[in-house]
Amino acid sequence: MLRVWSASPPLQTLLMPRSPLASLPSRCWGLRPSQALRRSHPLSTQSEPCRSSLSRRNHEAKQKRQREKQMALEAGITPKGKAPAGSSRAWTPKEVVLYEVPTEPGEKKDVYRLLPPAYSPRYVEAAWYSWWVREGFFKPEYQTRLPQATGEMFSMCIPPPNVTGSLHIGHALTVAIQDALVRWHRMRGDQVLWIPGSDHAGIATQAVVEKQLWKERGMRRHELSREKFLREVWKWKDEKGGEISEQLQALGASLDWDRECFTMDAGFSVAVTEAFVRLYEAGLLYRSQQLVNWSCTLRSAISDIEVESRPLPGHTELQLPGCPTPVSFGLLVSVAFPVDGEPDAEVVVGTTRPEMLPGDVAVAVHPDDSRYTHLHGRQLRHPLTGQLLPLITDSTVQPHVGTGAVKVTPAHSPADAELGARHGLSPLSVIAEDGTMTSLCGDWLQGLHRFVAREKIISALRERGLFRGLQNHPMVLPICSRSGDVIEYLLKSQWFVRCREMGDRAAQAVESGALELSPSFHQKNWQHWFSHIGDWCVSRQLWWGHRIPAYLVVEEHMKGDGEDCWVVGRTETEARKIAAELTGRSEAELTLQRDPDVLDTWFSSALFPFAALGWPQETPDLARFYPLSLLETGSDLLLFWVGRMVMLGTQLTGQLPFTKVLLHSMVRDGQGRKMSKSLGNVLDPRDIISGVELQVLQEKLKDGNLDSTELAIAAAAQLCRHLPPLLPLWLQRKDFPHGIPECGTDALRFALCSHRALGGDVHLSVSEVLSSRHFCNKIWNALRFILNALGEGFVPQPAEELSPSSPTDAWILSRLAHTAQECERAFLARELPLITHALHHFWLHSLCDVYLEAVKPVLSHSPHPQGPPQVLFSCADVGLRLLAPLMPFLAEELWQRLPPRPGSNSAPSISVAPYPTTHSLEHWRQPALEQHFSQVQEAVQVLRALRATYQLTKARPRVLLQSSEPGELSLFKPFLEPLATLGHCGAVGLLPPGVAAPSGWAQAPLSDTIQVYMELQGLVDPQAHLALLAARRRKLQKQLDGLMAWTPSGGEEETKRQQRLSSLQLELSKLDKAASHLRQLMDACPSPKEL
């Protein structure tokens, strides 16, 4: 069942060669066709179509890239038109190996077959997740049975993603961090509950469904009844909600799916209603007419987080919804307000929104501004209506800005509303909910779009001689992130939450240390926000969401003030009873109308930590797992979500919803821009996991819910090479001409966790993920080598009984124990980049590059010595368990193939196996030995450098070490054999102090006291090699001269220049020394040609 289409390593590669590390670079992703393999291996591979010459052309292209890179590095310059070194990595189509053993969902994967010769993510990731779920490994109840059970609880909830489509890379970062922490706690023996869920996302979901209705049927929601529209939304949610679950499973998220919740579920809706009623009864919810952020396109109030503050440098034209032509902003219009009774006197004010002029009720100046002192108490004529307006004085006016006079529009400006309230000014609402001008503006403006009315108003000012100029003016424009329309501030009767008292408690929780924010620099923003917090508008003029449990008592007014009479109740029956008591009328004669608005999505989201556990019911889960142990989320949600969870959680449950908050940064594309559908840089994590062609990405845009304008912008972002600011990194054809390569889940998770996400923003490129895939391939090949070395019938020793048989064995075990210590320390500190660094260093630099290479000659002896296989097994077992929280699929696939330790209660899965601890491996730690071996590694580097200088490609020269310090060479005695192996040399000996080195041997210093000598006589042609060294020297000297003549423009460039100069000078010094030695060698003996 093996289908293969492209060239790959020979058959013996599959049969475990002696040197598998030679094939570590992923030059091929496939298997060589073999009838024998077809019969015996339930694998199949798929590859992208390629011509027969693909392998040869790829090899030639690779050689060309390597030559160009070498030239660039030598010159210290990046070639014109090329990306900086390391910014991208060449990728060629690779084969996909599939797991095709018939396995029912939930059944354990067959691990008794031979491993494919190269790492293939789809093969590795197949079948494991459904087995994990069926076995209940992700449930806290299972973890109570673990031998390493601690009895401690660890609970966390996933930030519920919006059901507005698929997850993007930002969600993948959240999942990667959270799942790594969750899996570590689970392996540690804690009872872990990770709660899955999704948010109904009121505005976003309704907007998407409305777009879809218009796109598919040409209908608006108001053409449907509320009930029919909601059925459409539920239908859409059922389709999209399943996709999000599939994505989370593809990412390996070890969530307890039996406890999944949705914020519009019946149980959650009960919690939302209960929260509203309790807050109202506590006097923390009230109805009032206030200014709100209003989206004229959505016809709804929106939250602050949905308002994008867009800075404009000056005159800027924007294409806005509902406007056939672009609208100008960033212009200051100067308007004259004539002084009543003085024909030649006027007060000039500037405004960037002249369409608001009909709503002006006063002009304000600073009381100490001498330019207007004589006008205090006077009245001005409105430039459009001629009505009298007071000129008032207020100390908040900035006299040095503009003319020092400002117009006051209380109905459409938060600052003006406060100023108007101080002076008793009545607001005039001149902009309607749909963005048109109201009847208060007069017949000539009523019903006009506000930006069309702007032009009429400016024309009228010109006609009346009151227009005083137009000039560029930087400004910040509030934009609705959902619709792209300009936000208007409108006076609306809405429901508000009083936040001051709850906010004070939230601020005090952080100040006292009861609530820990990490990184700690977020505390400043937290305290500032809560010290300036205002009341929270929770009304939304939508159909999708939790309908507000408030009822208007029709034809009834509150006593004394004539205001509408509203009552709040869990049900209409309860509300009717309350209304009867309030009005003194019988329930039967009352008419109630429920508020048509729904609650802000952030209101229900703020209840998630406890509502997901069954609140307001006293459930077992609520008692066991609340408060949550940790909240991990993006730092952009600190105030709007985390802050509100703390406020409502403390108010409604009497305790903080969590005591620790871990905040990661935002994921941006390779150019540092926020993920945006209109930029075409929002990627489905599955596209990186499985790979995707550029054409498919573009088709996804066309099939999505972008309108024609958004689609045009996104298409330009993906296709226009001449617009680099709009071109996402992972869609650049020159870097990835075949689209996005298949990287796999483990590589994506590892790359995301490698970033210091707790500091600056994460700028992720696909090339980084591809590099992590190469690391996966290294681990894969290392395990194939180890399994081959273990052989048939291998029986592992208990870890506590393992005694290293050589200093090299002791060194790798010490390195393994040190890595476990670093991982444990970093997990406790929740510093995942330190873990990825430690694991990468151990697997790549300690195990693969050093120990496996050093142990190969030892394993070639027959019979095999007993020590190294036991050490190899421990490295694989412990190393994979250390890796499991970050690379769960790869770790499970390889760990399952290791033989179990006899007599041990072996875990059924690595996901519930004990995580290695510092204490359990402490007996392997030998820091002094590691320090000694680091000198051996330095000697290896010196030997390899000598070999490169003299181009000893095949020869294995003898080596001598000499020290001027007696006893210093004793450190090298135990490691002479691995030194020779790793240095690719012959026998390594020790030269006593004071003894002259053999004639004709090359010399290089290892330290101030140790010299290294390498045999050259008979291995090098001095005359021929001198010519090569001379050519090399001329080339380097030319580069040095060029750098000496170059004057960099910045400090960073100068630093790089100095570093390159030092490197070139050192290299030239080495060449001069080598040339001198070769001349001495040539004088001492004839060249091989003369013999």
Side-chain angles (χ1 to χ4, degrees):
M1 298 177 63
L2 181 66
R3 300 195 300 273
V4 198
W5 284 271
S6 69
S8 59
L11 177 61
Q12 55 265 35
T13 302
L14 185 63
L15 301 179
M16 301 303 296
R18 280 184 53 197
S19 304
L21 298 184
S23 62
L24 281 179
S26 54
R27 292 173 298 205
C28 46
W29 261 334
L31 311 171
R32 182 177 294 277
S34 165
Q35 292 183 358
L37 288 177
R38 287 193 186 97
R39 289 194 300 269
S40 60
H41 289 82
L43 311 173
S44 72
T45 63
Q46 295 177 347
S47 68
E48 300 182 23
C50 56
R51 290 190 285 262
S52 59
S53 60
L54 179 61
S55 179
R56 176 179 54 81
R57 288 189 289 107
N58 285 344
H59 181 66
E60 293 173 352
K62 182 177 180 180
Q63 288 183 323
K64 181 180 178 182
R65 288 192 302 271
Q66 288 176 335
R67 288 195 300 270
E68 291 176 348
K69 183 178 179 181
Q70 182 62 32
M71 291 172 62
L73 290 173
E74 290 172 353
I77 303 169
T78 301
K80 184 178 180 181
K82 299 290 183 181
S87 64
S88 64
R89 188 164 184 172
W91 169 70
T92 54
K94 309 295 182 182
E95 288 178 335
V96 176
V97 183
L98 300 180
Y99 171 79
E100 289 195 334
V101 177
T103 306
E104 291 295 323
E107 286 187 4
K108 186 175 180 179
K109 189 175 185 178
D110 185 346
V111 293
Y112 297 101
R113 310 283 180 161
L114 199 61
L115 286 172
Y119 169 71
S120 179
R122 289 193 209 179
Y123 178 89
V124 170
E125 295 164 18
W128 287 121
Y129 195 91
S130 61
W131 177 64
W132 290 334
V133 172
R134 193 198 69 174
E135 292 296 314
F137 297 145
F138 303 158
K139 301 184 71 61
E141 292 79 7
Y142 183 93
Q143 293 138 37
T144 60
R145 307 195 301 265
L146 296 178
Q148 71 270 26
T150 63
E152 297 181 13
M153 304 290 178
F154 182 81
S155 55
M156 188 165 62
C157 67
I158 192 170
N162 294 344
V163 289
T164 50
S166 58
L167 305 182
H168 53 66
I169 294 300
H171 295 107
L173 174 63
T174 301
V175 171
I177 294 173
Q178 290 195 358
D179 196 46
L181 296 173
V182 161
R183 287 178 179 271
W184 175 71
H185 276 280
R186 187 179 293 121
M187 294 177 71
R188 191 168 174 251
D190 298 339
Q191 290 185 51
V192 174
L193 174 60
W194 189 19
I195 310 167
S198 54
D199 192 278
H200 66 280
I203 289 179
T205 301
Q206 180 162 312
V208 169
V209 176
E210 285 194 81
K211 278 186 180 181
Q212 183 172 288
L213 277 175
W214 178 254
K215 186 176 180 180
E216 295 178 356
R217 306 185 203 172
M219 296 179 65
R220 302 294 185 190
R221 70 176 163 106
H222 293 284
E223 299 175 51
L224 298 172
S225 67
R226 183 170 187 150
E227 291 70 22
K228 288 182 179 179
F229 177 76
L230 290 178
R231 283 200 292 270
E232 292 291 333
V233 180
W234 275 108
K235 177 183 174 183
W236 182 89
K237 181 267 170 186
D238 291 339
E239 295 173 357
K240 290 298 180 181
E243 182 178 358
I244 290 173
S245 297
E246 291 173 6
Q247 288 179 297
L248 289 170
Q249 293 173 25
L251 287 165
S254 56
L255 295 151
D256 185 351
W257 291 103
D258 291 339
R259 289 174 165 93
E260 182 180 14
C261 71
F262 175 53
T263 54
M264 286 289 287
D265 287 340
F268 207 104
S269 296
V270 168
V272 172
T273 299
E274 183 68 24
F276 190 94
V277 172
R278 290 193 188 186
L279 291 173
Y280 179 79
E281 291 174 346
L284 296 174
L285 254 170
Y286 66 96
R287 187 174 177 85
S288 173
Q289 186 182 59
Q290 298 182 29
L291 281 182
V292 297
N293 302 320
W294 188 266
S295 170
C296 297
T297 300
L298 299 175
R299 309 277 182 94
S300 175
I302 65 173
S303 66
D304 292 341
I305 199 173
E306 289 154 334
V307 178
E308 173 193 342
S309 297
R310 186 176 302 177
L312 304 179
H315 182 210
T316 305
E317 291 191 342
L318 300 177
Q319 187 68 57
L320 300 177
C323 297
T325 58
V327 180
S328 294
F329 293 92
L331 293 173
L332 188 68
V333 179
S334 296
V335 182
F337 283 70
V339 178
D340 184 47
E342 294 187 30
D344 296 329
E346 62 183 28
V347 175
V348 177
V349 301
T351 177
T352 58
R353 299 291 303 274
E355 61 273 19
M356 300 295 189
L357 277 169
D360 293 346
V361 296
V363 171
V365 297
H366 194 279
D368 298 331
D369 192 337
S370 59
R371 293 171 293 178
Y372 303 107
T373 304
H374 65 291
L375 296 178
H376 289 185
R378 300 292 297 275
Q379 290 187 313
L380 310 177
R381 288 285 177 183
H382 194 288
L384 296 178
T385 65
Q387 291 179 335
L388 293 176
L389 305 180
L391 185 134
I392 60 177
T393 60
D394 195 281
S395 59
T396 61
V397 178
Q398 298 176 310
H400 59 279
V401 176
T403 62
V406 296
K407 65 189 194 68
V408 183
T409 320
H412 299 288
S413 164
D416 289 3
E418 293 180 8
L419 191 152
R422 287 195 296 271
H423 295 272
L425 301 174
S426 298
L428 292 177
S429 295
V430 296
I431 294 181
E433 293 180 356
D434 61 354
T436 61
M437 308 303 286
T438 68
S439 59
L440 295 178
C441 302
D443 294 340
W444 67 295
L445 293 176
Q446 182 180 358
L448 288 179
H449 191 285
R450 62 196 188 281
F451 296 125
V452 174
R454 171 192 290 186
E455 302 305 320
K456 287 195 75 172
I457 289 173
I458 292 178
S459 296
L461 292 173
R462 292 181 187 274
E463 291 173 3
R464 300 177 188 191
L466 299 175
F467 179 80
R468 293 293 179 264
L470 191 68
Q471 65 185 50
N472 271 335
H473 183 73
M475 65 180 295
V476 176
L477 193 66
I479 299 291
C480 174
S481 63
R482 301 296 182 186
S483 65
D485 199 2
V486 173
I487 290 296
E488 301 297 347
Y489 299 103
L490 301 188
L491 275 172
K492 306 293 294 181
S493 291
Q494 309 275 272
W495 290 95
F496 293 85
V497 175
R498 301 185 199 276
C499 295
R500 172 59 61 189
E501 180 183 341
M502 293 187 291
D504 288 343
R505 287 201 297 263
Q508 178 59 31
V510 170
E511 188 174 347
S512 67
L515 179 62
E516 176 188 333
L517 301 182
S518 180
S520 59
F521 62 77
H522 289 294
Q523 293 180 12
K524 183 177 180 181
N525 288 338
W526 180 273
Q527 300 295 357
H528 180 269
W529 193 68
F530 279 111
S531 65
H532 295 82
I533 194 169
D535 289 351
W536 170 19
C537 174
V538 292
S539 296
R540 297 293 178 267
Q541 290 64 46
L542 305 172
W543 286 354
W544 173 246
H546 297 102
R547 195 164 174 182
I548 294 175
Y551 300 80
L552 173 66
V553 183
V554 179
E555 297 181 356
E556 187 73 29
H557 299 282
M558 298 299 291
K559 296 178 180 179
D561 54 15
E563 292 184 1
D564 290 339
C565 179
W566 287 85
V567 293
V568 171
R570 296 169 180 82
T571 63
E572 183 175 343
T573 301
E574 182 178 280
R576 186 175 296 276
K577 182 178 180 180
I578 295 171
E581 295 175 356
L582 186 65
T583 62
R585 298 165 60 184
S586 67
E587 294 182 29
E589 63 180 299
L590 291 175
T591 301
L592 302 186
Q593 287 183 357
R594 187 168 182 177
D595 193 331
D597 293 347
V598 301
L599 285 165
D600 180 10
T601 300
W602 294 104
F603 185 89
S604 53
S605 298
L607 312 179
F608 199 84
F610 46 97
L613 293 171
W615 185 89
Q617 304 301 318
E618 292 294 335
T619 64
D621 276 359
L622 188 66
R624 289 172 63 199
F625 298 111
Y626 185 82
L628 302 180
S629 307
L630 174 71
L631 180 83
E632 197 286 332
T633 189
S635 57
D636 55 322
L637 297 179
L638 172 64
L639 306 176
F640 296 102
W641 187 45
V642 180
R644 285 166 175 167
M645 282 191 289
V646 171
M647 285 197 302
L648 296 192
T650 307
Q651 175 66 33
L652 296 170
T653 70
Q655 52 188 329
L656 289 167
F658 31 75
T659 56
K660 293 180 175 63
V661 179
L662 184 66
L663 299 156
H664 65 254
S665 302
M666 182 180 294
V667 179
R668 298 181 179 271
D669 67 15
Q671 298 178 33
R673 292 165 305 155
K674 187 176 179 179
M675 301 295 180
S676 166
K677 288 182 180 179
S678 61
L679 290 178
N681 61 356
V682 176
L683 283 181
D684 184 334
R686 292 173 299 184
D687 291 337
I688 299 179
I689 291 170
S690 302
V692 65
E693 295 180 353
L694 181 60
Q695 181 181 356
V696 175
L697 290 174
Q698 294 165 355
E699 288 299 324
K700 284 188 175 185
L701 277 176
K702 295 176 183 177
D703 294 338
N705 281 297
L706 293 180
D707 58 31
S708 57
T709 303
E710 293 172 316
L711 189 60
I713 296 173
Q718 290 187 339
L719 296 176
C720 293
R721 287 175 172 271
H722 60 283
L723 294 176
L726 293 179
L727 196 60
L729 180 63
W730 42 70
L731 297 180
Q732 291 182 3
R733 293 178 183 272
K734 68 176 182 179
D735 289 338
F736 301 108
H738 301 284
I740 299 176
E742 180 195 33
C743 297
T745 297
D746 292 313
L748 176 59
R749 290 168 56 117
F750 198 83
L752 287 168
C753 291
S754 297
H755 282 271
R756 291 200 170 273
L758 304 186
D761 289 341
V762 175
H763 294 187
L764 183 72
S765 65
V766 174
S767 59
E768 294 177 69
V769 188
L770 192 59
S771 177
S772 292
R773 179 195 159 125
H774 299 325
F775 177 53
C776 292
N777 197 59
K778 281 275 192 180
I779 297 171
W780 183 267
N781 282 332
L783 259 293
R784 290 178 64 244
F785 175 84
I786 290 173
L787 291 172
N788 183 60
L790 299 182
E792 296 287 340
F794 174 80
V795 179
Q797 293 179 354
E800 60 274 9
E801 296 179 10
L802 177 59
S803 178
S805 59
S806 71
T808 309
D809 290 350
W811 170 80
I812 191 62
L813 290 177
S814 182
R815 288 300 307 156
L816 180 60
H818 176 70
T819 303
Q821 183 184 41
E822 286 186 308
C823 290
E824 183 178 57
R825 186 184 297 123
F827 264 124
L828 289 170
R830 302 186 183 95
E831 289 281 358
L832 298 189
L834 300 180
I835 300 169
T836 59
H837 174 77
L839 291 171
H840 188 271
H841 190 275
F842 171 77
W843 278 96
L844 191 62
H845 301 299
S846 296
L847 185 63
C848 292
D849 290 352
V850 178
Y851 184 73
L852 294 190
E853 294 296 328
V855 83
K856 286 176 186 176
V858 178
L859 294 175
S860 65
H861 301 157
S862 184
H864 281 353
Q866 294 298 315
Q870 293 291 344
V871 172
L872 287 171
F873 173 84
S874 291
C875 287
D877 173 42
V878 176
L880 289 173
R881 282 189 282 136
L882 289 172
L883 194 67
L886 293 101
M887 292 185 169
F889 292 104
L890 179 62
E892 187 77 84
E893 181 74 34
L894 297 175
W895 187 81
Q896 289 285 349
R897 297 171 186 271
L898 293 175
R901 296 185 189 271
S904 63
N905 187 9
S906 182
S909 165
I910 198 172
S911 63
V912 290
Y915 196 82
T917 64
T918 302
H919 176 72
S920 65
L921 304 178
E922 192 174 9
H923 60 288
W924 285 346
R925 283 288 280 131
Q926 298 189 48
L929 179 66
E930 290 185 44
Q931 181 62 33
H932 296 164
F933 195 80
S934 65
Q935 293 180 275
V936 175
Q937 291 177 287
E938 292 174 8
V940 169
Q941 297 304 317
V942 171
L943 293 176
R944 290 179 178 179
L946 281 174
R947 288 177 55 83
T949 299
Y950 294 100
Q951 296 187 350
L952 299 174
T953 56
K954 296 182 179 180
R956 293 293 183 265
R958 291 177 296 169
V959 171
L960 290 172
L961 300 178
Q962 186 179 50
S963 173
S964 60
E965 295 291 333
E968 190 174 20
L969 291 182
S970 62
L971 300 177
F972 290 90
K973 284 183 180 179
F975 301 107
L976 293 182
E977 185 175 351
L979 179 58
T981 301
L982 298 172
H984 306 298
C985 300
V988 177
L990 304 178
L991 191 64
V995 177
S999 175
W1001 287 44
Q1003 178 185 359
L1006 176 59
S1007 66
D1008 293 339
T1009 58
I1010 301 177
Q1011 295 294 319
V1012 175
Y1013 299 96
M1014 178 179 286
E1015 179 184 22
L1016 292 182
Q1017 199 164 8
L1019 302 177
V1020 174
D1021 181 349
Q1023 189 170 2
H1025 201 65
L1026 273 171
L1028 295 175
L1029 292 179
R1032 171 73 174 158
R1033 196 191 191 291
R1034 287 193 296 271
K1035 187 175 183 179
L1036 294 181
Q1037 186 63 49
K1038 185 177 180 180
Q1039 294 175 26
L1040 182 65
D1041 294 341
L1043 281 175
M1044 294 290 287
W1046 176 52
T1047 303
S1049 57
E1052 185 177 349
E1053 289 183 346
E1054 174 61 22
T1055 300
K1056 292 180 179 179
R1057 173 178 171 272
Q1058 291 296 333
Q1059 291 173 346
R1060 183 59 184 154
L1061 283 173
S1062 298
S1063 176
L1064 286 171
Q1065 289 165 348
L1066 179 61
E1067 185 67 18
L1068 286 170
S1069 174
K1070 290 181 180 179
L1071 289 178
D1072 290 342
K1073 187 173 182 179
S1076 174
H1077 184 76
L1078 286 173
R1079 281 191 289 269
Q1080 294 175 8
L1081 188 63
M1082 203 165 57
D1083 294 339
C1085 58
S1087 70
K1089 294 180 180 179
E1090 297 173 351
L1091 296 176

